[in-house]
Amino acid sequence: MTLHQNLIAGEWVGSQAEENINPSDTRDVVGLYAQASADDANAAIAAAKAAFPSWSRSGILERHAILKKTADEILARKDELGRLLSLEEGKTLAEGIGETIRAAQIFDFFAGETLRLTGELVPSARPNIGVEITREPLGPIGIITPWNFPIAIPAWKIAPALAYGNTVVFKPAELVPGCSWAIVDILHRAGLPKGVLNLVMGRGSVVGQAMLDSPHLAGITFTGSTGTGKRVAAASIEHNRKFQLEMGGKNPMVVLDDADLGVAVEAAANSGFFSTGQRCTASSRIIVTEGIHDKFVEALTERLSKLNVDHALKEGTHIGPVVDERQLKQDCDYIDIGRKEGAKLAFGGERIERETPGFYLQPTLFTEATNDMRISREEIFGPVAAVIRVKDYEEALAVANDTPFGLSAGIATTSLKHATHFKRNSEAGMVMVNLPTAGVDFHVPFGGRKASSFGPREQGKYAAEFFTVVKTAYTLA
């Protein structure tokens, strides 16, 4: 089996390898991927630092051509790469291909952004002086990505970093190195100069720690757990380094009495259970008003009973496996916690067997939950959701906002009054009306509030806020 190596200073290096295991069939090895050492990470940082002066002054057409070529190849290989994604992460094939298409769209968008770079020319308060306001690349950037979106999240961090003239040291999650390696390989062959993009696959405690400890990274953008995010922040403050954090969520989905029942059920099912619930924007708190509560629970339970959990590549699969044994144990532990806290298990809750050995779990729905239960306050990151009964819209809004997180929030209603009020008063970075809490566009900002996010937004033109620095220049006429 081919060893997929790390890329450092334009060279493929590394011999120590780890197997990439398929969560749909644990007998299947997706590939062998090199494991970087701390020395490798430091060599990658040195390469990015050395390449920055030249790349930061490269022509916009050169950057455009490389990013556009990358977008085109990802799109042309969407079926192949989508299949790889599904094999290593466990998303269904349709979800894997959809995410791959999104990655291509992201690279295409930022290829265009290289040609849309602008500044400002403004008059000074003093006579005969001109003022120019421009944006310049930040410097060598450390990128640390999670396992749940193994091609889209690397794309939405790498593409803007390169578009704005930064160099990159990229550490993907060790569970899903395949898609990350593929993206780096495509960018490398598209013509990136040596050292502009460096790939260091390996353990967070080794590679990630070396990145946090380095004084030579100008910024780190991180998506992952809240605990690790706090470590990234503390280490970055030590080095006076810019940092961007996307972390956890406990996203509410509010269902009001006047909601279209079909729309509400589909939004809740998608939000809580598709992609095996392994999305930071997933909704595991479904807040339902009294008048529609019983009908909604009955209809959602019926919807869940029709969802097929099986091998990610198998035709007819709606939900694939959990990503690995550790995550599966966490999900099952929270199911036990929910039972002990007094919530009613309305559906699912059991590990299941399929033709292939994998990490399969029934979609799990609790009812009669309260917002102070652990299953209502802590991020589970699996196909587990709890219904919280409330009296009216005012109580629903209060419960929705009663969380340390603030990434995404949804509401199902036919009332323009309530929809408008919720959009304005929901304490979340993204609000969905009659839509799942998960599912966002590639050209608009992504991010949250409170413990969910820190720093500038990701995606769209707002990405420039993190990946550039502002310069103000004065000239005497």
Side-chain angles (χ1 to χ4, degrees):
M1 187 173 286
T2 301
L3 171 61
H4 297 81
Q5 297 175 298
N6 287 304
L7 182 69
I8 299 175
E11 303 293 331
W12 295 104
V13 297
S15 56
Q16 182 182 348
E18 288 280 341
E19 293 180 339
N20 185 8
I21 301 299
N22 178 0
S24 292
D25 184 350
T26 54
R27 302 166 301 183
D28 178 29
V29 177
V30 179
L32 294 176
Y33 292 85
Q35 296 291 289
S37 65
D39 288 342
D40 291 330
N42 287 322
I45 293 168
K49 183 179 179 182
F52 177 71
S54 176
W55 179 249
S56 64
R57 290 167 175 79
S58 60
I60 58 175
L61 287 179
E62 179 184 1
R63 289 184 236 163
H64 174 271
I66 291 170
L67 295 177
K68 186 67 170 69
K69 189 174 180 180
T70 298
D72 291 345
E73 181 170 340
I74 292 173
L75 190 60
R77 294 171 58 190
K78 66 181 186 299
D79 293 336
E80 170 203 346
L81 295 174
R83 185 177 188 277
L84 172 62
L85 191 159
S86 295
L87 285 174
E88 69 173 354
E89 196 272 346
K91 282 187 173 76
T92 65
L93 184 57
E95 290 170 329
I97 293 173
E99 183 179 330
T100 303
I101 292 171
R102 180 178 174 187
Q105 292 169 331
I106 291 166
F107 274 102
D108 185 65
F109 176 86
F110 283 105
E113 282 295 276
T114 65
L115 307 180
R116 292 189 288 264
L117 299 174
T118 62
E120 297 177 71
L121 182 63
V122 300
S124 171
R126 296 167 288 170
N128 301 319
I129 294 176
V131 182
E132 300 170 67
I133 305 169
T134 55
R135 287 189 175 273
E136 296 184 351
L138 179 61
I141 304 290
I143 293 177
I144 303 174
T145 59
W147 50 259
N148 61 322
F149 282 90
I151 196 166
I153 292 180
W156 85 46
K157 293 180 186 290
I158 293 171
L162 297 177
Y164 296 122
N166 302 282
T167 54
V168 170
V169 177
F170 171 38
K171 184 221 166 299
E174 56 202 85
L175 278 176
V176 289
C179 289
S180 296
W181 189 93
I183 280 186
V184 171
D185 175 57
I186 292 169
L187 281 160
H188 179 60
R189 289 186 289 99
L192 276 180
K194 292 182 178 182
V196 171
L197 174 62
N198 303 272
L199 172 67
V200 279
M201 300 175 288
R203 298 190 181 281
S205 59
V206 177
V207 177
Q209 191 60 51
M211 293 169 69
L212 296 189
D213 291 342
S214 175
H216 302 300
L217 291 175
I220 289 184
T221 174
F222 166 84
T223 298
S225 70
T226 302
T228 305
K230 290 179 179 179
R231 290 178 56 202
V232 172
S236 296
I237 290 170
E238 177 70 22
H239 296 296
N240 198 29
R241 175 172 58 213
K242 198 172 184 181
F243 60 96
Q244 178 186 54
L245 309 175
E246 288 296 342
M247 300 173 288
K250 196 66 181 175
N251 310 295
M253 181 72 205
V254 172
V255 179
L256 298 185
D257 287 350
D258 60 26
D260 179 300
L261 184 62
V263 169
V265 167
E266 203 55 40
N270 186 305
S271 297
F273 305 100
F274 285 22
S275 295
T276 323
Q278 296 173 156
R279 301 182 284 193
C280 54
T281 50
S283 175
S284 55
R285 289 191 303 145
I286 308 172
I287 302 163
V288 187
T289 50
E290 286 179 333
I292 199 173
H293 178 276
D294 292 350
K295 289 189 297 182
F296 173 82
V297 168
E298 181 182 359
L300 180 57
T301 303
E302 176 67 18
R303 179 74 176 94
L304 296 183
S305 71
K306 295 178 180 178
L307 295 178
N308 186 32
V309 180
D310 212 324
H311 194 296
L313 299 185
K314 191 172 183 179
E315 187 175 353
T317 296
H318 300 110
I319 300 174
V322 175
V323 72
D324 70 349
E325 184 71 47
R326 180 179 176 182
Q327 185 61 46
L328 179 60
K329 182 182 184 303
Q330 177 172 305
D331 295 346
C332 292
D333 286 348
Y334 271 107
I335 293 170
D336 289 341
I337 288 168
R339 287 189 177 109
K340 291 173 182 175
E341 288 182 313
K344 177 184 176 183
L345 184 62
F347 186 86
E350 300 295 331
R351 183 169 181 173
I352 53 180
E353 302 293 329
R354 290 296 179 256
E355 292 179 7
T356 54
F359 308 116
Y360 299 107
L361 179 66
Q362 286 180 308
T364 301
L365 181 68
F366 284 101
T367 58
E368 306 307 325
T370 61
N371 203 48
D372 58 354
M373 292 179 176
R374 287 183 62 190
I375 60 169
S376 300
R377 303 205 68 79
E378 299 172 14
E379 186 174 43
I380 300 171
F381 223 66
V384 183
V387 176
I388 301 171
R389 188 196 300 258
V390 294
K391 183 175 68 173
D392 52 24
Y393 168 74
E394 287 70 26
E395 185 181 359
L397 177 64
V399 171
N401 286 337
D402 181 14
T403 172
F405 300 104
L407 183 55
S408 183
I411 187 170
T413 180
T414 56
S415 165
L416 179 60
K417 172 187 173 182
H418 287 140
T420 301
H421 189 271
F422 188 79
K423 286 188 288 185
R424 175 63 185 85
N425 291 279
S426 172
E427 295 172 2
M430 298 175 291
V431 179
M432 315 295 181
V433 178
N434 294 321
L435 290 166
T437 56
V440 296
D441 289 349
F442 63 89
H443 67 301
V444 293
F446 177 96
R449 296 161 64 170
K450 299 192 277 191
S452 289
S453 303
F454 183 88
R457 291 291 191 258
E458 300 196 271
Q459 298 198 115
K461 66 180 181 179
Y462 285 80
E465 296 293 331
F466 178 74
F467 291 104
T468 64
V469 291
V470 174
K471 175 179 283 184
T472 306
Y474 297 83
T475 304
L476 178 64

